[in-house]
Amino acid sequence: MAQIDDLPPLREVIRRHELRPKKSLGQNFLLDLNLTARIARAAEPLAGSTIVEIGPGPGGLTRALLALGAGRVIAVERDERAIAALQEIAARYPGRLEIVSGDALRFDPRSRLNGARAKIVANLPYNIATVLLVDWLTSEPWPPWFDEMVLMFQREVAERIVAPPGSKTYGRLSVLAGWRTQAKILFDVAPSAFVPPPKVTSSVVRLVPRQAPLACDARALQRVTEAGFGQRRKMLRQSLKTLGIDAAALLAAAGIEPTARAEDISVEGFVALARAFAERTQSRVC
Ligand code: SAM
């Protein structure tokens, strides 16, 4: 294991603070400091940057971010058992680590940023990873408060994020991610890298916000993608009926064949559908 700082090895930290991994909190810890450093480096340049980390746990990734020069890390952790371990890291890097003890789903980092820009870097708890990502992707205003996201997901979720139209894994997440970001899988991480090892391979994904994505109401886009992919094998003239409006007229307005299926529609096509939907339902104009 690489020596990135003079703090005790993570195994010792976990033992001393009795951080037995809890499944309910999606706890699969990374103890290999080479690997945490590799994830942190994917978010370079770190010098002078502010990082929002979700779920630092015993702090392996947090330590890598700080050792590699992150100016400020705001780390949001729900497990109170981890707070004392994180405080030891904060003491080693005075003034650079802010520990937020609480639920990331209820925390808005903007309350701490005072308009400053940040990057989101995390080995996400798998049980809330998609909810958090959708929340970030539908942030308003856009461009958002973050310049970049470097996130670990289960490989299957990572594939859905980057999937192109026409592929089996193309879905709602691919459309949202493709609409507002450029997303790329950087590398895979084997189950054996975690304690305890999960059942599946994980992947680190980088998402960089587009500065000028096609204008569209995020809620309308979510509604049409949910309807379209909710019954992905059906033709859109059928699946979009769940929206409760004239599906044929909606498709005509968006210039999409009524016999097309959701998996064949590009991001631009879904944006056209969302605009037509927003106009018809008098929700916010795109
Ligand atoms: N970053 C550490 C690492 O890489 O070893 C831990 C990653 S582990 C996959 C996910 C972490 O998220 C755990 O520490 C868990 O306690 C925390 N967590 C789970 N749900 C959370 C929530 N709602 N808000 C904040 N943290 C949460």
Side-chain angles (χ1 to χ4, degrees):
M1 191 180 289
Q3 184 77 26
I4 57 158
D5 56 33
D6 48 11
L7 287 163
L10 284 161
R11 278 187 196 283
E12 188 187 317
V13 173
I14 288 172
R15 193 173 49 245
R16 201 155 32 83
H17 294 280
E18 299 183 9
L19 278 169
R20 274 178 306 281
K22 284 188 185 171
K23 205 175 170 186
S24 61
L25 286 173
Q27 290 183 336
N28 299 97
F29 299 136
L30 284 174
L31 306 191
D32 179 347
L33 293 175
N34 283 312
L35 191 57
T36 52
R38 191 173 176 203
I39 299 170
R41 273 198 301 272
E44 281 180 334
L46 289 168
S49 65
T50 297
I51 307 289
V52 172
E53 186 191 357
I54 306 301
L61 182 55
T62 321
R63 283 166 59 172
L65 288 162
L66 289 163
L68 290 170
R72 180 185 180 200
V73 177
I74 301 169
V76 191
E77 176 55 61
R78 190 171 174 187
D79 188 346
E80 286 176 5
R81 299 174 307 163
I83 303 301
L86 294 166
Q87 279 164 348
E88 291 172 4
I89 304 172
R92 166 67 180 76
Y93 295 96
R96 290 171 59 195
L97 174 60
E98 294 168 37
I99 304 159
V100 179
S101 178
D103 185 348
L105 293 171
R106 293 167 188 271
F107 174 69
D108 186 345
R110 281 174 283 199
S111 62
R112 297 225 169 191
L113 291 173
N114 289 328
R117 319 277 310 160
K119 302 180 189 192
I120 308 173
V121 183
N123 170 17
L124 291 172
Y126 70 92
N127 41 354
I128 56 166
T130 309
V131 180
L132 286 169
L133 180 64
V134 169
D135 204 39
W136 292 324
L137 290 173
T138 55
S139 273
E140 297 295 350
W142 199 272
W145 53 269
F146 49 88
D147 295 324
E148 183 178 22
M149 299 187 265
V150 174
L151 304 171
M152 174 105 78
F153 295 95
Q154 296 178 60
R155 171 86 202 176
E156 172 262 324
V157 177
E159 279 170 356
R160 286 199 275 131
I161 293 167
V162 303
S167 65
K168 267 191 199 154
T169 46
Y170 183 63
R172 177 176 156 249
L173 212 47
S174 334
V175 175
L176 284 181
W179 168 46
R180 278 196 153 168
T181 69
Q182 286 183 299
K184 189 174 178 224
I185 295 180
L186 299 181
F187 54 88
D188 288 343
V189 180
S192 57
F194 299 86
V195 174
K199 290 197 174 68
V200 293
T201 297
S202 301
S203 303
V204 175
V205 182
R206 179 193 290 129
L207 300 104
V208 179
R210 294 184 192 279
Q211 290 306 297
L214 293 169
C216 180
D217 181 85
R219 286 165 305 169
L221 187 60
Q222 282 184 279
R223 291 286 305 280
V224 296
T225 51
E226 271 161 22
F229 289 106
Q231 299 169 295
R232 60 184 294 138
R233 305 239 169 270
K234 293 205 171 147
M235 295 178 192
L236 286 168
R237 69 178 175 213
Q238 187 63 32
S239 57
L240 294 186
K241 279 185 184 163
T242 57
L243 290 171
I245 60 167
D246 184 343
L250 189 68
L251 287 158
I256 294 173
E257 286 296 322
T259 53
R261 291 180 169 78
E263 61 197 24
D264 297 319
I265 305 301
S266 64
V267 171
E268 293 75 14
F270 271 108
V271 166
L273 268 176
R275 287 177 178 171
F277 178 68
E279 275 164 21
R280 276 163 181 69
T281 53
Q282 312 236 310
S283 70
R284 249 177 55 202
V285 178
C286 291

